[in-house]
Amino acid sequence: MADNINYKHLHYFWVVATEGSIARAADKLFITPQTISGQLSMLEERIGQPLFDRVGRRLRLTETGRLVLRYADDIFELGKELTDVLRGAPLVGTSEFIVSAASALPKTIVYKILEPALSLSQEVSLMCKEGPVEAILGELAVHEVDMVLTDTPLSSAFSIKAYNHYLGQSELSFFASPELAKKLKGPFPGCLNEAPILLPTKQYAIRQLFDKWCHDANIYPIIRGQYDDSALMKSFGKAGFGVFFMPSIIEQEVQEGFGLEVIGHLKDIKQKFYAISAERKVTHPAVAAVCSTARDIIFK
């Protein structure tokens, strides 16, 4: 009997059918192929008929599979349309705006970017989440969030249909506790050589740019910590465990809020910021407010 179909299982089937393989579906959904295989088996057991024929390593839809796919296309296209309407239409009352930000982005910048969405004439209820880049892009792929904020633009390495919206960029400011600043040798940036440093993890674009800059400049700091969370990195920096950098547009807030010294600025590297959405042309009013204000005011 096909009573009470589990729509999560149906969604996995739909992605496998549209992607053409369990492996590609697993990449898109950011889950293991074993998980998808198990969910498909449960769906086939519920329906009582196979959905795919296994032809070598390939999957071919059965007659039942083609029938289920036609209905799944309608179900999930309608679901996306409903989500777009509910979040983008000028509704009476509060509209939900769900954002995932990369953990390494400074919280002050995330606030500056998102604040315009709360100033719309229409009331907006903001839900702000954070996590590693791959995880939050996975949320966007299954329409669990309206927008992703990151310093790493979406590329062909991610099997996700989404679009980059460039917000702006900032040079870098380097900070140290007063005690550590006194121990650094020579002027900036040479003083970074063999100095303790705290860095974002390598999944972030700015870390990759900084590593390349160090190599080209023959400067080799001693990495004392690597962090996914910018707030945690600042706390360790305040305690004197190492030098760290932040975008210069929040230099004053970091310096005053943590009692740190600015030891130098690096103009050769720019940290870029992107909003990633499932739509090429921004129609969601909150996403549009974020993008236009960031470009015109924050990163002007």
Side-chain angles (χ1 to χ4, degrees):
M1 294 291 293
D3 296 343
N4 300 320
I5 287 177
N6 184 308
Y7 283 90
K8 187 172 186 179
H9 299 169
L10 184 64
H11 184 257
Y12 289 167
F13 159 77
W14 182 60
V15 176
V16 171
T18 53
E19 290 295 318
S21 76
I22 290 177
R24 285 200 292 272
D27 289 340
K28 182 169 184 175
L29 295 170
F30 294 95
I31 56 178
T32 65
Q34 292 81 3
T35 298
I36 292 181
S37 294
Q39 304 294 314
L40 284 179
S41 295
M42 294 174 70
L43 180 61
E44 289 178 326
E45 183 178 345
R46 172 65 68 181
I47 291 174
Q49 298 184 53
L51 298 171
F52 293 100
D53 286 327
R54 274 71 177 176
V55 183
R57 295 185 178 182
R58 297 176 54 203
L59 293 177
R60 184 171 61 192
L61 285 166
T62 62
E63 285 296 328
T64 300
R66 284 193 284 272
L67 175 64
V68 173
L69 178 60
R70 287 198 296 272
Y71 279 92
D73 283 337
D74 291 338
I75 289 169
F76 293 114
E77 284 302 320
L78 281 171
K80 182 179 182 301
E81 181 179 328
L82 175 61
T83 299
D84 292 342
V85 168
L86 291 177
R87 292 181 182 166
L91 303 176
V92 176
T94 301
S95 175
E96 191 174 51
F97 179 41
I98 307 175
V99 180
S100 274
S103 302
L105 293 188
K107 306 303 181 283
T108 305
I109 288 185
V110 173
Y111 165 75
K112 286 177 179 287
I113 291 173
L114 294 180
E115 192 275 335
L118 300 178
S119 301
L120 294 171
S121 56
Q122 173 190 349
E123 289 189 20
V124 172
S125 174
L126 175 65
M127 180 184 292
C128 194
K129 304 157 68 174
E130 65 175 7
V133 174
E134 288 193 2
I136 62 178
L137 287 174
E139 292 178 327
L140 184 67
V142 295
H143 306 291
E144 291 183 0
V145 300
D146 297 302
M147 184 178 74
V148 162
L149 292 177
T150 178
D151 77 334
T152 307
L154 186 68
S155 67
S156 58
F158 298 96
S159 303
I160 297 173
K161 186 178 180 180
Y163 303 95
N164 297 313
H165 306 287
Y166 175 68
L167 300 179
Q169 63 184 16
S170 173
E171 63 185 56
L172 303 180
S173 296
F174 285 72
F175 303 88
S177 66
E179 297 79 10
L180 177 58
K182 293 176 183 176
K183 298 177 183 178
L184 299 176
K185 300 175 182 178
F188 183 87
C191 63
L192 296 178
N193 195 47
E194 299 186 354
I197 197 165
L198 312 175
L199 295 170
T201 55
K202 291 188 177 182
Q203 66 175 306
Y204 296 101
I206 192 61
R207 168 63 188 280
Q208 298 168 32
L209 291 172
F210 179 73
D211 286 350
K212 182 179 185 304
W213 176 84
C214 286
H215 180 270
D216 293 344
N218 291 315
I219 292 176
Y220 300 99
I222 299 170
I223 300 175
R224 291 289 303 276
Q226 301 179 66
Y227 304 87
D228 273 340
D229 190 298
S230 64
L232 188 59
M233 183 166 64
K234 284 186 283 191
S235 295
F236 275 86
K238 178 182 179 180
F241 282 92
V243 175
F244 67 95
F245 59 77
M246 286 282 149
S248 295
I249 61 171
I250 58 168
E251 177 181 299
Q252 184 176 352
E253 291 96 328
V254 175
Q255 185 178 13
E256 295 177 355
F258 289 81
L260 299 165
E261 291 188 13
V262 177
I263 63 169
H265 301 90
L266 190 57
K267 297 183 179 181
D268 295 339
I269 301 176
K270 300 288 195 304
Q271 185 165 14
K272 298 181 179 181
F273 298 88
Y274 299 86
I276 302 177
S277 73
E279 51 189 8
R280 183 189 298 274
K281 182 179 180 181
V282 175
T283 58
H284 192 301
V287 177
V290 163
C291 292
S292 62
T293 304
R295 294 169 185 148
D296 295 342
I297 299 176
I298 302 173
F299 298 103
K300 188 175 181 180

